[in-house]
Amino acid sequence: MPHITKLAIATSIATVLALGACTNDASQSPSEENRFIEYGIATDIRPLDPHTQNIVINWRVGANIYDRLIEQDENLELQPSLATDWEMLDELTWEFSLREDVVFHDGNVFDAEAVKANFERNLADETTSPTAYLFQAVEEVEVIDPSTVRFHLNAPFASLPAHLSHHGASIISPEVIAEDNEAVANGEAPGSVVSEKPIGTGPFQFESWTPDEELVLTANDDYRGGAPQVAGVRFTIIPDAATRLANLQSGNSDIIDAVSPSSMPEIEGDPDINVIEVESTYVNFLAFNTNEAPFDDVRIRQAFAKAIDKNEIFDGIVNGYGSIANSPLSPFDFGFTEIDGLSFDPDEAKALLAEAGYGEGDLDVTLTVSTEGDQVNIATYIQHALAEIGVNVEIEQIEFATFVEYTGEGKTQMFLLGRSSPTGDGYNGFFTILHSNKQTSNQLRYPYANQDLDQLIDATLATEDEAERSAYFKEAQQLVAEAVPFHFLYYPSTLTGVSNELEGVNVIPTGVVFLKDAAFTND
């Protein structure tokens, strides 16, 4: 039976250490030091420019190439990284002290000028960064000396330190930034140079990328704190979950991501596999197009929510891996409050439909889902549940990459998706899907807008007082629970399959996997 490491919200570290017959003091042979980690991933990356791309797989890969001023630990507590400490001098000024022993993969020295160049690029209009909203209050980045930098704000911004731990705050070589800026000035797309030269200060450095096939990183021998104990990491794109699992079982992969809960019974019989289970910041939901009928009527949204028994999904489809959700925030997010969502009540759901003018069989809707993971199974359950209240549901299945583009065009009636809140602060969890000024990529996907909600979200930034911020977040969560622009379903656990020959794999709740301490063991 495999070792299943289950990690609680605030008590455990998501690292597999010396499992099975391995011992903590096992030394590596030269052959092991020259060995690459073979990592099977479900989806391909996008260009490795953290200022122009913002998807989970890029976070996972990029966290091993780039460092940030601040990092998160296994409980999403903020920890020093490229910044050794930070201080709020006044409500509009933050000062950061920087490490003095860091070099980029291209040999350039990390210093305050590099920090300034990175944030000026991220915030520049021509960069069109999907993460610029994270730093929207930054007016100026001032170099005090090579190891000290100040962020001057145009308004109080309580979430700034948390946002500096986001992948979008990754620090790129200033030489590469200068080349990319020049290319943009000559008519090239932002990121055209960075995507070819993704140069950071992290434990691994870019070697090659063959789209739809593989990405190769090699160890950074000059990494602060010591070089990795493996030669590198080869990420191989394996979209099919069954094939990924077969590769892990056969030894062709050392790690695989996105293990399906439905695969766990099969994995339990394999003594050579360890599963790291991490409670995540991700929340899965049913999203409604509130701009168009029938979902511009809150009664229809409430009726659908009351017709769906979340326990049927959580226990019957995802096998209890995770927890039930009623909020856009995860339990890891500052500001999270236990909210009573709309309870399962098919009779009341029927009454709400009748009140809105729909009788038995009068309402036809389309539910759009990706073919990834358990989404089709969840959609099938929802189709059945809504049939019980007289609603006809057609399921539209689309391959994931196309699905993301399609939902972003705002053409769906309702769809299944999810989002991660990677900063550990509630502002990001709200802003990205519920604020009227959400980033452009989500404007059509999530059209719901509410001025009262905007004011509550904005108010969470204007004070450093944690009690005040928590009160604003609580009120915002209650408003969303009543308006039902989304029906939040569950927080899935992140399930990562790891060979028992590999130790030191660190998975945190955002889904990021740190490999700097990974090593092969002697059995």
Side-chain angles (χ1 to χ4, degrees):
M1 184 172 184
H3 186 104
I4 299 179
T5 305
K6 184 170 183 178
L7 304 176
I9 287 180
T11 58
S12 301
I13 185 167
T15 305
V16 177
L17 293 173
L19 299 171
C22 307
T23 60
N24 288 328
D25 60 355
S27 60
Q28 289 188 307
S29 67
S31 61
E32 288 166 332
E33 290 176 352
N34 294 324
R35 183 173 170 184
F36 275 71
I37 296 173
E38 301 292 341
Y39 198 145
I41 56 178
T43 57
D44 198 4
I45 63 162
R46 292 179 184 171
L48 286 166
D49 179 355
H51 300 166
T52 65
Q53 304 293 331
N54 186 31
I55 59 173
V56 173
I57 188 59
N58 275 41
W59 303 350
R60 189 167 295 154
V61 174
N64 294 285
I65 298 174
Y66 301 107
D67 291 317
R68 287 138 294 282
L69 296 182
I70 299 172
E71 298 288 4
Q72 298 164 325
D73 65 17
E74 65 278 4
N75 299 314
L76 300 194
E77 296 293 332
L78 301 180
Q79 304 294 336
S81 182
L82 292 177
T84 57
D85 57 70
W86 52 94
E87 178 185 6
M88 186 176 71
L89 303 182
D90 56 55
E91 64 178 10
L92 297 179
T93 312
W94 288 80
E95 184 170 284
F96 295 81
S97 299
L98 308 177
R99 295 182 66 109
E100 300 180 19
D101 59 346
V102 178
V103 295
F104 290 93
H105 301 150
D106 59 4
N108 283 295
V109 174
F110 165 75
D111 59 12
E113 291 288 354
V115 175
K116 179 179 175 67
N118 272 265
F119 285 94
E120 287 183 344
R121 176 179 187 257
N122 196 313
L123 289 166
D125 291 340
E126 55 268 27
T127 305
T128 62
S129 172
T131 59
Y133 74 92
L134 292 166
F135 320 110
Q136 60 187 304
V138 177
E139 185 74 22
E140 179 191 4
V141 179
E142 179 188 7
V143 174
I144 304 302
D145 59 47
S147 60
T148 311
V149 66
R150 283 183 187 161
F151 284 68
H152 296 279
L153 312 181
N154 55 31
F157 201 77
S159 299
L160 180 62
H163 286 190
L164 292 175
S165 70
H166 189 280
H167 177 65
S170 296
I171 303 298
I172 303 169
S173 165
E175 182 174 315
V176 175
I177 286 178
E179 292 179 29
D180 200 90
N181 289 343
E182 182 178 353
V184 171
N186 291 327
E188 297 291 330
S192 60
V193 174
V194 176
S195 62
E196 296 291 329
K197 301 178 181 179
I199 295 174
T201 60
F204 294 91
Q205 55 194 4
F206 176 80
E207 177 72 19
S208 65
W209 175 36
T210 306
D212 298 319
E213 294 184 18
E214 69 174 24
L215 168 76
V216 180
L217 308 181
T218 57
N220 174 15
D221 292 335
D222 297 320
Y223 185 65
R224 56 184 173 88
Q229 299 179 65
V230 295
V233 187
R234 181 180 291 104
F235 295 89
T236 304
I237 293 82
I238 310 173
D240 182 67
T243 304
R244 282 198 308 279
L245 178 57
N247 272 24
L248 182 63
Q249 291 171 322
S250 67
N252 289 326
S253 293
D254 302 304
I255 312 176
I256 60 170
D257 70 1
V259 173
S260 172
S262 60
S263 299
M264 290 303 290
E266 178 183 356
I267 295 173
E268 287 173 357
D270 194 324
D272 297 323
I273 296 175
N274 307 300
V275 177
I276 306 174
E277 179 188 356
V278 180
E279 297 175 18
S280 76
T281 61
Y282 204 83
V283 57
N284 278 330
F285 50 70
L286 176 65
F288 301 109
N289 186 342
T290 58
N291 271 359
E292 299 181 3
F295 299 116
D296 56 349
D297 188 331
V298 67
R299 294 171 297 184
I300 302 301
R301 303 196 300 267
Q302 290 173 341
F304 277 41
K306 285 183 169 292
I308 296 169
D309 185 352
K310 296 178 186 180
N311 289 305
E312 288 289 331
I313 296 172
F314 183 66
D315 295 326
I317 299 176
V318 300
N319 297 338
Y321 288 100
S323 57
I324 297 291
N326 290 312
S327 169
L329 304 187
S330 81
F332 286 96
D333 289 317
F334 177 83
F336 170 79
T337 301
E338 292 283 357
I339 296 292
D340 293 328
L342 297 178
S343 60
F344 174 60
D345 191 336
D347 291 336
E348 189 172 347
K350 291 178 182 178
L352 284 165
L353 287 178
E355 183 182 325
Y358 292 96
E360 179 84 20
D362 288 346
L363 183 55
D364 299 312
V365 296
T366 299
L367 171 57
T368 304
V369 298
S370 79
T371 54
E372 188 175 67
D374 292 311
Q375 297 298 287
V376 174
N377 291 334
I378 294 171
T380 302
Y381 163 72
I382 291 174
Q383 180 184 51
H384 171 77
L386 293 176
E388 293 293 309
I389 64 168
V391 176
N392 305 310
V393 178
E394 177 184 351
I395 298 175
E396 178 182 33
Q397 301 181 38
I398 304 177
E399 182 271 331
F400 183 72
T402 305
F403 169 84
V404 172
E405 293 179 7
Y406 185 63
T407 57
E409 295 171 354
K411 296 178 180 178
T412 59
Q413 284 190 300
M414 60 178 184
F415 62 90
L416 286 172
L417 193 55
R419 57 163 300 283
S420 182
S421 181
T423 65
D425 186 89
Y427 176 80
N428 185 66
F430 271 104
F431 183 88
T432 52
I433 62 174
L434 284 159
H435 197 285
S436 299
N437 293 327
K438 63 182 76 73
Q439 65 265 49
T440 303
S441 60
N442 278 342
Q443 284 284 352
L444 296 178
R445 181 179 289 115
Y446 308 125
Y448 180 76
N450 182 310
Q451 187 175 7
D452 291 337
L453 181 59
D454 287 349
Q455 291 175 353
L456 289 170
I457 297 170
D458 293 340
T460 67
L461 293 180
T463 177
E464 290 288 329
D465 186 280
E466 292 189 353
E468 288 184 32
R469 298 192 76 217
S470 293
Y472 290 131
F473 280 128
K474 181 177 181 179
E475 188 174 349
Q477 286 168 92
Q478 291 171 332
L479 188 158
V480 171
E482 294 168 4
V484 203
F486 302 86
H487 187 41
F488 300 101
L489 300 174
Y490 66 99
Y491 305 109
S493 290
T494 297
L495 300 175
T496 304
V498 183
S499 165
N500 68 3
E501 294 183 353
L502 189 65
E503 66 178 10
V505 177
N506 185 10
V507 185
I508 69 172
T510 60
V512 168
V513 180
F514 291 106
L515 298 171
K516 66 183 179 66
D517 296 322
F520 291 101
T521 60
N522 286 326
D523 290 338

